[in-house]
Amino acid sequence: MSRLIVQKSGPLRGRVQVPGDKSIGHRAILFGSLARGRCHVRGLSHGEDNLSTVACMRAMGVNVELAGDRAIIDGVGLRGLSMPSGVLDCGNSGTTMRLLAGLLSAQRFGTRLVGDASLTRRPMGRVVGPLRARGAHIGGSDKDGRPAPTLEKCYPPLSVAPLVEGEQLTGIEYDMPVASAQVKTCLILSGLYASGPTALREPVLSRDHTERMLISLGVPLRTAGSMVYLDPEGLDGAKWDRGWDPFEWEVPGDVSSAAFPIAAALLVEGSEITIEGVGTNPTRTGLLDMLRLIGAPVEQETRDEAAGGEPRADLFVKHVRPRGGLAAGELVVRMIDEVPALCAIAAVSRGTIEIRDAEELRVKESDRIATMAGVLRAFGVSCEELADGMRIEGGAKLRGATVTSQGDHRIAMSAAVLGLAAEGTTVVEDADCIATSFPTFVPLLKGLGADVRLEES
Ligand code: S3P
């Protein structure tokens, strides 16, 4: 296991690039695997989460060649996957497991999906319930690994039994209780194979990469606000042949990773940095909007659109101390993975930053409300934990601390950027997890002038 050693650092300066967007990467690998032929993907992250998806698709007979940030994927078509010889290991990746649950529910072979200790604590009833409602033979486990007695107590591993000859998933109309792109995509993937339409409504629109990408591939899918409608028979009288042609895609930089150098620049006085080629899909830019609201705008210079209808921009961040403010409602859905970084920024604000409607954070890679509150307090920041968020008082003098990430990459990186502005030495234990999403985090920060190093513990 490794730990990060962080010292208070001088101004951060420079131009950097963050790894490819993790969410788009998962989808590029999956949709590439299901295409009718050879796909080329550029800008793919080396993060372990994306590699988990690659490993699962390889285990089902898809040839995926990785070279640097490029992938060549020999798609096998919607009906071309083969039965894996063992369990499918999703590692730490909830997206891999929930998306595959949908895809595998429609196959004529059985599978078992497993994950690491953190993933094994995450709720799966949210996908198992609606998948069963459309005829899937899928079940999860309770906390002791026995078959889950109820959907409320349903966790990994997931077992998927095959559909037998003549069986097919049905259409579904589903009002999703929580906004979740993983659940939405799971149901869209299973819907590609269904006998009838998939009609979904989210309480708030979650990230819409799946919709953008599949529409660009000619899948008969339509969106209106937070509603999605997929008719596998085809839309507007045009029959769909249940498949798509090979594609070439470039994955934009991950705005969820960019959140950490952004936070670092706002924490360290005198900093001025540029992050190149970051995805700025509006369903992902809640943090940028929040920063504008609290007087710390990140300048965006729009670049071309990456393939699959994904906008991207260069981001320019200059140190300024933000005001206090409230993040709630749809803004939180659009920054759900960036809340830990916002918490770190809140520590140096000139007021109180309150985060509400963020109960989903309790079921991420760790309980991010509790873990982040613990981290902030260790640095001398006063904060109040709320059932659905947090209230953080800015302006305390930060003191270096020894904290553990609880195996959660975004907690480890939030603690590290806090350390850049804290007096003395900060130690972040259990830092290997950073590689799940941002394997270049330490060299990137060093390149900006930060005093940070990784050490074997
Ligand atoms: C993701 C969706 C979000 C997000 C996760 C990636 C995706 O999860 O937190 O990091 O790629 O679909 P939920 O669907 O649980 O909100």
Side-chain angles (χ1 to χ4, degrees):
M1 243 201 245
S2 306
R3 58 163 82 103
L4 278 181
I5 313 290
V6 187
Q7 309 289 348
K8 188 172 164 80
S9 299
L12 305 177
R13 296 275 164 88
R15 294 178 81 85
V16 289
Q17 288 177 342
V18 289
D21 188 278
K22 181 157 80 75
S23 285
I24 298 175
H26 285 300
R27 289 158 174 80
I29 299 157
L30 277 175
F31 303 159
S33 300
L34 300 174
R36 287 184 285 231
R38 176 164 281 196
C39 300
H40 295 264
V41 180
R42 275 185 296 150
L44 194 68
S45 159
H46 288 202
E48 286 163 5
D49 277 7
N50 278 172
L51 296 181
S52 291
T53 297
V54 168
C56 289
M57 299 321 290
R58 281 180 174 153
M60 289 187 282
V62 180
N63 175 48
V64 183
E65 280 169 42
L66 298 176
D69 71 347
R70 287 169 188 249
I72 295 174
I73 307 167
D74 288 316
V76 295
L78 276 183
R79 283 283 168 211
L81 297 175
S82 48
M83 182 166 162
S85 58
V87 296
L88 294 172
D89 188 353
C90 304
N92 190 248
S93 174
T95 310
T96 306
M97 184 168 287
R98 296 199 179 113
L99 268 48
L100 282 182
L103 175 62
L104 297 174
S105 286
Q107 306 301 318
R108 303 217 178 278
F109 54 82
T111 37
R112 191 165 162 84
L113 294 160
V114 302
D116 71 4
S118 148
L119 179 52
T120 302
R121 288 191 294 269
R122 299 182 64 187
M124 291 296 147
R126 54 181 63 192
V127 289
V128 168
L131 284 173
R132 278 192 188 154
R134 73 187 324 175
H137 308 305
I138 181 167
S141 315
D142 71 7
K143 291 227 156 136
D144 301 312
R146 286 186 295 259
T150 60
L151 289 178
E152 288 69 43
K153 292 185 180 145
C154 182
Y155 303 94
L158 296 179
S159 290
V160 190
L163 294 177
V164 296
E165 203 51 51
E167 252 185 327
Q168 192 178 8
L169 298 181
T170 62
I172 190 171
E173 242 179 68
Y174 188 55
D175 256 314
M176 293 169 48
V178 275
S180 164
Q182 293 177 356
V183 175
K184 175 170 64 177
T185 307
C186 165
L187 294 173
I188 291 172
L189 280 169
S190 56
L192 297 172
Y193 298 82
S195 57
T198 297
L200 308 173
R201 186 204 304 265
E202 294 189 276
V204 173
L205 177 66
S206 65
R207 63 191 67 193
D208 64 356
H209 307 301
T210 299
E211 298 92 303
R212 287 175 187 241
M213 290 166 97
L214 289 182
I215 289 170
S216 82
L217 293 172
V219 173
L221 190 149
R222 195 174 277 150
T223 61
S226 64
M227 292 187 290
V228 181
Y229 183 80
L230 161 70
D231 188 343
E233 292 302 319
L235 289 173
D236 307 323
K239 181 119 184 84
W240 187 51
D241 62 358
R242 300 212 189 214
W244 53 82
D245 291 335
F247 56 80
E248 279 189 27
W249 259 340
E250 187 169 358
V251 180
D254 197 330
V255 69
S256 299
S257 297
F260 296 102
I262 290 173
L266 293 176
L267 278 151
V268 178
E269 267 174 46
S271 298
E272 263 188 54
I273 67 167
T274 302
I275 313 168
E276 294 174 345
V278 179
T280 49
N281 177 318
T283 60
R284 296 286 299 284
T285 50
L287 176 68
L288 304 183
D289 295 339
M290 176 67 185
L291 292 176
R292 193 173 311 117
L293 287 173
I294 58 177
V298 172
E299 225 178 275
Q300 298 185 34
E301 193 178 316
T302 305
R303 295 195 357 185
D304 51 329
E305 206 166 76
E310 294 288 347
R312 63 177 161 184
D314 292 342
L315 305 183
F316 176 70
V317 200
K318 196 170 175 182
H319 172 81
V320 56
R321 275 189 73 194
R323 298 186 286 269
L326 170 70
E330 64 89 36
L331 190 57
V332 166
V333 173
R334 296 193 296 109
M335 58 175 287
I336 196 69
D337 291 339
E338 292 70 69
V339 173
L342 176 64
C343 291
I345 295 167
V348 292
S349 75
R350 288 180 279 118
T352 304
I353 288 193
E354 188 170 330
I355 299 151
R356 304 304 297 261
D357 303 321
E359 47 275 273
E360 272 296 293
L361 293 179
R362 297 219 179 259
V363 291
K364 293 292 180 189
E365 286 83 329
S366 69
D367 174 344
R368 287 186 173 154
I369 295 176
T371 3
M372 219 38 234
V375 166
L376 287 167
R377 288 190 191 115
F379 280 93
V381 179
S382 112
C383 67
E384 190 184 342
E385 199 182 308
L386 307 166
D388 67 341
M390 229 189 283
R391 205 172 283 127
I392 303 161
E393 305 297 332
K397 194 164 172 51
L398 299 179
R399 48 162 201 261
T402 295
V403 294
T404 166
S405 70
Q406 312 273 6
D408 185 333
H409 52 134
R410 301 202 203 281
I411 301 297
M413 292 186 277
S414 303
V417 296
L418 278 164
L420 298 175
E423 286 306 328
T425 303
T426 290
V427 180
V428 185
E429 304 278 8
D430 199 355
D432 292 317
C433 55
I434 291 173
T436 60
S437 66
F438 201 163
T440 54
F441 176 70
V442 171
L444 180 141
L445 280 186
K446 274 190 182 160
L448 290 171
D451 187 346
V452 47
R453 70 191 155 83
L454 203 58
E455 184 184 272
E456 285 303 310
S457 40

